[in-house]
Amino acid sequence: MSPRNRRRPRALSPLREHLRDTFWFAPTMTLLLVCVVWGAADTLDTALLEALQENRDDEAVRTLISWAEDAKTIVTTISSAMMTFIGVVFSISLVAVQMAAGNFSPRIVRIFIRSRISKLTFSVFLGTFLLSLLVLTSYDSETDPRKVVSVPLVQGALTLLAVGLSLLLFIAYVTQTLQLMKVGPVVERVTRESFAVLDKMPVQGTDAAPLPAEEARVGHQGRSGTLRDVHVARLVRAARRKGVVLRLIPRIGDFVVPGTPVLAVHGGRGSLPSGRVLRSAVSVGAERTFHQDLGFGLRQLSDIALRALSSSVNDPTTAVQCVDRIVQFLSALAHRPLGAVHHRDRAGVVRLVQDVPEWADLVDLGLTEIRASAVGSPQVSRRLMAGLDDLLLLVPEARREPLERHRALLMLAVRAALPEAAERAFALEPDRQGIG
C-alpha cells in the first residue's frame, strides 16, 4: 500500500476515546459554556436597557420590565422543578440500564456511558438548571424605568429555549434508553463499534521486513490493569526521532502488572527513546475499551450469548442473534491480513509494531464458548452449523482449519448428548434462523 493511502494515526485519538468513556466531561463543559452564554446574554440585556434609557424611552423600558416579570414566573418554576426532574428521570433510567446489564452483560453499561444522546441530555438538563439560577440573580427589584439596572429579557428567552431543547432531548433519551432493553439494538451497537475498530486498523501486507535486533525493553510502571490502548502517534514520533522500531509486547486487552514488559526497542544502538515518554504512551485502565481492541466486540457478543444460554435465562433466540453478528464480523475478516500491525512514519518507515489477534484466535473467541453451551439447544446448534458452513465458503484454504475444527467438535458434542439419531440429525441441520 502506498504511503498516500495509509491511515495516519491521530494524535488525540486516545484522549478522545478516554473522554468518551467518562460521564463527567460533557456536563462540566456544558456548565462552563452556560456561564459564558449567560454572561453574553447579560451584556446584551444591559446594552439594550442602557440604549433605551439614553433615549429616555420610558415606555419601552416598562414594556421590557413587564415581559421580564412575566418570564420570571416561568424561570422560577423551571429552577425549582428541573433538579427534581433530573433526579427522577435518571434514577429510572439507571434502573433500566441495570436490568439490561443483568439480562445481557455488565459490559453493555459502557454503551449508556458512551452514548452521545445520554450525555447531551444530561448536560442540557444541568445547563438549563444552572441558567435558570443565573437568570434569577439578574432580576432587579427596582421598577422605575430610569433607575432599573437589569432587565433579563434575553436571558429569560434563552432559558425558555433551553427548556424546549430539554423536552426534545428527553423524548430522544427515553427512546434510546428503551432501546437498551432490547437485544437487537444492543447487539447491533456492539457490532457497529467492532467494525469501527476494524476500519481504523491499517491494512497489512504480507512482505513485512524482519525487525532489527532487540536492544532494550520498557516495563510497565503504575497500577495494575487492562492494557486499553497505546498512543500510536506519540510512539511513532519517539521511534522516528531515535531511528528505532518499537514493538508492543502484550496485546491490547491483556492484564498487566507493574514490571511487565510492555515495549521492546529494536535497533538504534546507544540511542534509545526516553522510558518516561514511552510509558506515558501506554494506557492502563480498569476494563477493556473498543478503541484499539479488535477482539472486544466478539467478547461482548459471546458473553451475551452465554448468558442467554444459561439455565437461569434460557433464551436461545438471543444467542442466535449474537451468532448472526459473530458470523458477520468473521466474514468481514475472511480475507483481511491479520497478525502484527505496522504503524509507519511520514516516510513510510515502520516505527511501531502492534500484535493483534490472528484469524484462529478470533474464531476461537467468537465460537468456542457458544459452541460448548449450544449442545442442549438445537436452535443454536443449527445456526452455528449454518454459520460455519457460510464461513467455510468465504475463507481461503489457509483459514479453513479452525472453522473445520469447531464444526467437527460441535458434531461430536451433539452426537454424544443426543441418543436419538433423528434428534441428532435435526440439531445438526444447518439453518440460518436456527429453527425459524
Side-chain angles (χ1 to χ4, degrees):
M1 184 172 59
S2 64
R4 180 182 303 176
N5 295 327
R6 292 190 186 98
R7 181 183 292 272
R8 295 297 313 283
R10 292 175 291 183
L12 294 180
S13 259
L15 176 60
R16 183 179 62 252
E17 290 297 320
H18 295 171
L19 290 177
R20 283 197 64 190
D21 283 330
T22 66
F23 209 78
W24 61 266
F25 181 75
T28 302
M29 293 297 103
T30 300
L31 294 179
L32 294 177
L33 179 62
V34 165
C35 293
V36 173
V37 171
W38 169 76
D42 182 57
T43 302
L44 183 60
D45 280 327
T46 301
L48 177 62
L49 178 62
E50 290 177 350
L52 292 176
Q53 289 175 335
E54 288 177 0
N55 294 330
R56 298 187 179 277
D57 193 348
D58 294 346
E59 187 62 30
V61 174
R62 289 192 184 95
T63 302
L64 291 181
I65 294 175
S66 176
W67 289 352
E69 287 297 324
D70 292 339
K72 183 178 181 180
T73 303
I74 301 176
V75 173
T76 303
T77 304
I78 293 170
S79 176
S80 60
M82 183 58 71
M83 206 62 189
T84 302
F85 180 66
I86 292 172
V88 172
V89 169
F90 278 86
S91 295
I92 296 174
S93 301
L94 291 176
V95 171
V97 171
Q98 184 178 11
M99 292 176 60
N103 291 334
F104 304 134
S105 169
R107 274 152 291 282
I108 72 159
V109 175
R110 64 180 303 280
I111 295 178
F112 174 81
I113 295 175
R114 288 174 61 89
S115 168
R116 290 186 175 92
I117 190 65
S118 298
K119 294 177 182 178
L120 181 60
T121 303
F122 190 54
S123 301
V124 171
F125 282 6
L126 289 179
T128 302
F129 174 69
L130 177 60
L131 181 60
S132 64
L133 294 180
L134 294 174
V135 171
L136 288 176
T137 64
S138 299
Y139 278 92
D140 192 347
S141 58
E142 181 62 57
T143 59
D144 188 337
R146 299 185 180 181
K147 296 181 179 180
V148 67
V149 296
S150 177
V151 181
L153 184 63
V154 176
Q155 300 171 55
L158 283 177
T159 305
L160 296 179
L161 289 176
V163 172
L165 179 60
S166 298
L167 294 177
L168 294 176
L169 287 174
F170 173 68
I171 297 173
Y173 175 75
V174 170
T175 301
Q176 178 188 263
T177 302
L178 292 176
Q179 292 293 318
L180 286 178
M181 306 294 292
K182 300 164 59 178
V183 64
V186 171
V187 172
E188 167 67 21
R189 178 67 175 271
V190 173
T191 306
R192 188 165 63 247
E193 292 192 346
S194 300
F195 275 99
V197 178
L198 183 62
D199 291 339
K200 289 187 292 186
M201 289 182 55
V203 178
Q204 300 302 304
T206 58
D207 56 347
L211 295 178
E214 182 179 318
E215 300 294 336
R217 288 193 171 191
V218 178
H220 171 61
Q221 292 183 1
R223 62 175 180 172
S224 301
T226 301
L227 181 60
R228 298 189 299 178
D229 52 43
V230 295
H231 200 307
V232 173
R234 185 180 300 170
L235 291 175
V236 168
R237 287 196 300 267
R240 177 176 55 82
R241 285 195 296 264
K242 298 297 183 179
V244 301
V245 180
L246 300 175
R247 176 172 58 88
L248 186 66
I249 298 174
R251 286 180 180 174
I252 302 297
D254 286 357
F255 191 85
V256 297
V257 298
T260 302
V262 291
L263 287 168
V265 182
H266 294 260
R269 297 178 181 177
S271 179
L272 302 179
S274 168
R276 182 182 59 84
V277 172
L278 298 184
R279 283 188 288 267
S280 67
V282 177
S283 174
V284 173
E287 59 183 1
R288 298 166 68 175
T289 69
F290 263 114
H291 182 209
Q292 298 172 358
D293 196 338
L294 185 60
F296 189 41
L298 292 176
R299 177 69 274 162
Q300 292 188 75
L301 293 173
S302 179
D303 286 346
I304 296 173
L306 289 175
R307 189 175 291 257
L309 291 174
S310 65
S311 57
S312 59
V313 178
N314 194 21
D315 182 14
T317 303
T318 293
V320 167
Q321 289 181 272
C322 293
V323 173
D324 292 340
R325 298 302 184 173
I326 291 172
V327 172
Q328 175 190 356
F329 187 67
L330 292 177
S331 65
L333 295 170
H335 295 277
R336 187 184 181 102
L338 296 171
V341 175
H342 297 82
H343 300 280
R344 304 171 184 269
D345 59 16
R346 295 177 180 176
V349 179
V350 174
R351 295 301 182 187
L352 174 64
V353 178
Q354 178 183 349
D355 189 25
V356 299
E358 299 279 359
W359 168 254
D361 300 326
L362 295 172
V363 171
D364 291 341
L365 175 59
L367 300 178
T368 300
E369 293 169 306
I370 300 177
R371 172 180 54 76
S373 301
V375 175
S377 176
Q379 183 178 355
V380 182
S381 62
R382 289 161 63 94
R383 180 63 187 97
L384 278 175
M385 290 294 292
L388 287 168
D389 288 348
D390 290 341
L391 289 172
L392 285 169
L393 293 175
L394 293 175
V395 301
E397 186 66 29
R399 294 188 172 181
R400 293 178 61 89
E401 188 277 330
L403 299 172
E404 292 173 343
R405 170 166 49 84
H406 281 284
R407 193 177 191 280
L409 290 173
L410 178 60
M411 296 176 65
L412 288 174
V414 170
R415 289 169 181 168
L418 301 178
E420 295 294 333
E423 290 184 354
R424 293 197 298 268
F426 180 80
L428 292 175
E429 180 179 351
D431 186 344
R432 292 188 179 88
Q433 293 188 21
I435 308 181

